[in-house]
Every structure is written in C-alpha cells, then in structure tokens.
Amino acid sequence: MNDNTAVITADIVTTARQLDWGSIVIRDGRITAVALDDEVEGDEILADHFDLCELAESASDAAIAAELNATSHD
C-alpha cells in the first residue's frame, strides 16, 4: 500500500463483497471498493474477489479489514 495512513474499513469490505466480482483497490490515493468492470489501469489491487471470498469463509467484514490492513503494511 502506498499510503501507510490509509486503512481498509469494514464498510469498504462489505461494499466490495456486494459488488459484481468486487475488489478493494487504491485509486487516486484513496482506498475504495470497485466492481470488476469498473477497474481501471493504474488501480493498485489490495484484495480481489477471490481474496475476499476466501477470507469471508471464516471471518466477519471487520476481521477481514483488520487482516488486509495488517498484511498491506508489511
């Protein structure tokens, strides 16, 4: 992640999981949820649809956000 102060929130995770093949990306310096069809060149993908599905099998959206934040700051 480019900005160590940016965090993935549970709301972003929830939104991404509700979108068609949703992902969490950094776009224009901001973390956001986008559908696959809305991804653009230059997006830095932090978690794709498959990452979110795998994590959702055993964790809440808040726990997923915490996990993604922990791994993105490594």
Side-chain angles (χ1 to χ4, degrees), residues 36-51:
L36 179 63
D37 291 342
D38 295 331
E39 288 181 14
V40 296
E41 187 173 334
D43 283 351
E44 179 182 343
I45 298 173
L46 301 176
D48 65 18
H49 171 77
F50 298 106
D51 295 331

Side-chain angles (χ1 to χ4, degrees), residues 1-69:
M1 185 180 303
N2 294 334
D3 180 356
N4 288 335
T5 62
V7 295
I8 300 167
T9 64
D11 288 340
I12 292 171
V13 173
T14 300
T15 300
R17 292 184 57 222
Q18 293 173 344
L19 293 170
D20 186 30
W21 292 86
S23 296
I24 298 172
V25 303
I26 295 178
R27 179 182 289 168
D28 300 326
R30 298 186 59 186
I31 296 176
T32 190
V34 297
L36 179 63
D37 291 342
D38 295 331
E39 288 181 14
V40 296
E41 187 173 334
D43 283 351
E44 179 182 343
I45 298 173
L46 301 176
D48 65 18
H49 171 77
F50 298 106
D51 295 331
L52 295 172
C53 288
E54 183 178 325
L55 291 167
E57 291 178 4
S58 62
S60 68
D61 289 352
I64 292 169
E67 174 70 20
L68 292 171
N69 284 316

